[in-house]
Amino acid sequence: MDATHADLLMRVEGMTCDGFAAAVTRTVKRLDPAAEVQVDRAAGRVAIRTDAQALSIAEALTKAGYTATAMTG
């Protein structure tokens, strides 16, 4: 069964510096090393192209200390 890439947009609160943005990227890549992650720290958004489930990513980010919610549109 082949997984398909999903494009996710998540709001992540608490990214106050580039270190936090890098930590968010590392957290996503632990779930999917091939994920493409674009962090817009100023807007508090993370765009992710991944094979991982959105819920899994949100849970991982929450465990890492961030408030993460999926965005639509």
Side-chain angles (χ1 to χ4, degrees):
M1 181 174 170
D2 289 321
T4 57
H5 289 294
D7 290 321
L8 309 175
L9 185 60
M10 305 195 87
R11 177 170 304 285
V12 180
E13 297 175 27
M15 292 190 299
T16 57
C17 69
D18 289 338
F20 287 110
V24 167
T25 299
R26 282 192 306 273
T27 299
V28 171
K29 287 190 172 275
R30 280 190 198 111
L31 291 174
D32 179 7
E36 296 174 24
V37 183
Q38 293 180 325
V39 177
D40 182 344
R41 186 171 53 85
R45 291 189 298 225
V46 180
I48 306 164
R49 176 168 284 205
T50 182
D51 290 336
Q53 296 292 320
L55 183 58
S56 298
I57 291 173
E59 287 175 348
L61 290 171
T62 298
K63 287 179 184 176
Y66 300 98
T67 301
T69 53
M71 297 175 67
T72 58

